[in-house]
Amino acid sequence: MEKIPLIRYSEALKKQVVREYEGGTSASSLREKYGIKGPSTITTWLKKYGREGSRYKLMVIQTPEEQNRVKQLEKRVQELESALAQLMLDKLMLESLVEVIEEEEGVEVKKNIARRPLSERKPKPKLRG
């Protein structure tokens, strides 16, 4: 009795086939190209690795107000990222300045001040003039 060989495909090959299928290549040409025997093998891989077997691009339909809101939010994110980057640079500069002062003056500057969370801090009284 002759043994039938069991074929195992690598994860990388399966994902490559799914990418090519989703890119528009037909299942039959992929079976031929990669020597895939089973007629439903690629369909199984699509269910597991594909974007639900879709060959289509996702289209988002938005109202003009939604588009404007998205643009505003994207602009706000850029502004916040720039502000954060600037704060990080300022912090590094101040830390470097503290190190230089400590070295030149031979004085240790307090750096580890215990800070309470903002929610636990009491507001400072305002001075009336």
Side-chain angles (χ1 to χ4, degrees), residues 45-85:
W45 295 348
L46 284 168
K47 289 177 184 172
K48 185 173 182 181
Y49 301 106
R51 290 175 283 170
E52 299 179 34
S54 174
R55 288 182 175 213
Y56 306 100
K57 293 182 181 180
L58 176 65
M59 292 181 58
V60 178
I61 300 172
Q62 297 176 322
T63 64
E65 293 81 21
E66 290 171 326
Q67 289 175 346
N68 289 336
R69 181 69 178 145
V70 168
K71 286 179 185 176
Q72 288 174 348
L73 292 172
E74 288 172 347
K75 182 179 177 185
R76 182 68 177 144
V77 167
Q78 285 180 338
E79 291 170 356
L80 292 172
E81 287 175 344
S82 295
L84 176 62

